[in-house]
Amino acid sequence: LKGDLYTPTTPAAAPAILVAIHMCTGHSSTVHGWFDSYADQQGFYIIAPDAGKQCFDASISRSGDKAAIVTMVNYLITNKNADKNRVFAAGMSSGGCMTNTLLAIYPDVFAGGSAMPGFPAGGWPAGDTTCTKCGSSPPSTDGKYWGDMARNVFSFTGTRPCSQQWVGG
């Protein structure tokens, strides 16, 4: 997985990281402008991964696109003195699905995120990079069902990330 790094004009002493995730048919360049001016004002880094195909594989696992994004985050923490406690994700559509998946399966990495809109983690079919099943009805609307899916991927006892969901115009 490739991506772009936006470095603010003046990085903060211990800058936060925002992973800005594009929608299906978008590219890393699609998200430029979403948060760049805020990054310059507040001194945080923006990672903009590029699916390199139509959509991200936002299925519920700690591998593939998800692991690649975490590798990008870890690079900034290690090499740019970024704050490991202030890592966030934001995405639209496929990027919203990826945001929800990252928050659910990497609660040890992400402090929070915002999705507009996005399936819950586990709702994106494994290996689907074309959104062929985007209109499918979820198998359940029960919160425990979705929570169990995330807990089965990664056992975690700490505080889970904050999540903000946006739907509509």
Side-chain angles (χ1 to χ4, degrees):
L1 193 67
K2 294 182 180 181
D4 297 341
L5 172 63
Y6 183 83
T7 301
T9 307
T10 306
I17 301 170
L18 174 64
V19 180
I21 311 169
H22 68 77
M23 69 290 286
C24 285
T25 69
H27 298 282
S28 57
S29 60
T30 305
V31 304
H32 292 294
W34 287 2
F35 304 104
D36 296 3
S37 64
Y38 299 107
D40 285 335
Q41 291 170 18
Q42 301 298 319
F44 62 87
Y45 288 104
I46 301 171
I47 297 171
D50 194 317
K53 47 202 171 290
Q54 188 170 346
C55 306
F56 290 96
D57 178 357
S59 59
I60 192 163
S61 72
R62 284 174 65 111
S63 62
D65 291 351
K66 289 82 55 180
I69 290 170
V70 171
T71 298
M72 294 174 193
V73 167
N74 288 335
Y75 174 85
L76 288 178
I77 292 168
T78 302
N79 296 291
K80 301 287 186 177
N81 196 38
D83 186 345
K84 69 177 184 171
N85 296 310
R86 295 190 309 141
V87 179
F88 303 91
M92 180 177 276
S93 192
S94 166
C97 295
M98 180 62 88
T99 295
N100 288 338
T101 298
L102 289 170
L103 298 180
I105 64 170
Y106 283 103
D108 53 328
V109 175
F110 290 88
S114 182
M116 181 179 169
F119 297 158
W124 191 272
D128 187 354
T129 57
T130 59
C131 198
T132 56
K133 299 180 182 177
C134 289
S136 301
S137 295
S140 175
T141 56
D142 176 47
K144 183 178 181 320
Y145 171 86
W146 298 108
D148 287 347
M149 288 187 79
R151 287 184 289 274
N152 287 335
V153 171
F154 182 71
S155 179
F156 183 72
T157 58
T159 301
R160 291 232 170 231
C162 296
S163 174
Q164 183 181 53
Q165 303 296 309
W166 293 87
V167 179

